[in-house]
Amino acid sequence: MARNLSNPTAAAQTAKPAAKPKDRDPVAAGQRDAAFNRSASHHYFLTDKFEAGVALRGTEVKSIREGKANLKDAYGLLKDGECFLLNAHIGPFSHGNSMNHDSLRTRKLLLHKRELERLVGMTKQKGFTLIPVRLYFRNGRVKCELALAKGKQDWDKRATERKREADNEAKAAVARSQRR
């Protein structure tokens, strides 16, 4: 006759219900942008977009996860075959110590050599500059979307605003006609 080798007391205990997994922050999970430059499309015509990695310190990554990044006055600079992000504000980490990062420090952008060469050629044209459009997470790493931009004149901004208003009015008119 075969012996029962299982522990009889373990079988008598009921299994605990599995704990519900904690929902991950949408910014850290890459579902939502960590920072977005709203004024970029208002002040510039955005043409080509590039994805670049950002060389950051640990407290900077944690601050970006907390939503303390701002790209409003930031811009990209090409110098000596490298690309840098200037004036991007990343606030200090809430649980940091005296070794916390400087909030407006210059950060290196990580691009492929061919992309850098292409950007150098494009930014040498008069009026073009590099503007960071958004910061986001991809596979746990912070990425910056750079756009090649040309500045708008005041009349360009007014024309864009008129076009946007006309589009919104047209959409509203279509919605009203479908309701009836």
Side-chain angles (χ1 to χ4, degrees):
M1 184 167 156
R3 286 181 27 187
N4 186 358
L5 297 178
S6 65
N7 188 349
T9 58
Q13 293 176 351
T14 58
K16 291 182 182 178
K20 183 181 174 188
K22 193 174 183 181
D23 289 334
R24 192 161 180 211
D25 180 31
V27 171
Q31 298 167 351
R32 193 179 77 216
D33 292 343
F36 188 78
N37 191 350
R38 291 181 183 205
S39 64
S41 60
H42 179 71
H43 294 299
Y44 301 96
F45 291 112
L46 304 176
T47 55
D48 296 338
K49 294 189 177 178
F50 298 88
E51 180 182 77
V54 187
L56 297 171
R57 297 190 177 141
T59 55
E60 290 175 322
V61 175
K62 293 174 184 181
S63 291
I64 291 172
R65 280 205 174 98
E66 287 180 346
K68 294 184 177 178
N70 187 355
L71 297 174
K72 186 175 181 190
D73 295 328
Y75 62 96
L77 178 70
L78 294 167
K79 184 177 181 182
D80 298 331
E82 294 180 333
C83 190
F84 298 96
L85 181 64
L86 282 80
N87 284 348
H89 184 273
I90 299 175
F93 181 51
S94 60
H95 300 296
N97 55 18
S98 62
M99 301 301 287
N100 221 337
H101 64 273
D102 181 27
S103 59
L104 285 176
R105 78 178 186 92
T106 301
R107 296 161 181 94
K108 187 174 180 182
L109 294 174
L110 309 171
L111 290 159
H112 290 283
K113 196 169 216 167
R114 284 190 180 150
E115 289 176 325
L116 279 170
E117 290 168 357
R118 186 171 169 213
L119 282 173
V120 167
M122 293 173 145
T123 55
K124 290 214 179 196
Q125 297 176 20
K126 188 176 182 206
F128 281 97
T129 187
L130 289 174
I131 300 295
V133 178
R134 64 188 186 121
L135 277 179
Y136 56 96
F137 283 89
R138 174 168 292 163
N139 297 331
R141 304 198 193 283
V142 177
K143 301 291 181 180
C144 178
E145 185 176 282
L146 285 174
L148 193 66
K150 186 169 182 136
K152 283 185 182 179
Q153 301 293 329
D154 285 337
W155 57 271
D156 288 329
K157 294 176 188 177
R158 287 192 294 269
T160 304
E161 186 64 32
R162 260 188 254 116
K163 182 180 176 187
R164 187 181 306 129
E165 287 177 8
D167 289 345
N168 288 341
E169 288 174 9
K171 286 179 187 176
V174 169
R176 276 194 307 269
S177 67
Q178 289 178 349
R179 278 188 257 156
R180 293 180 185 176

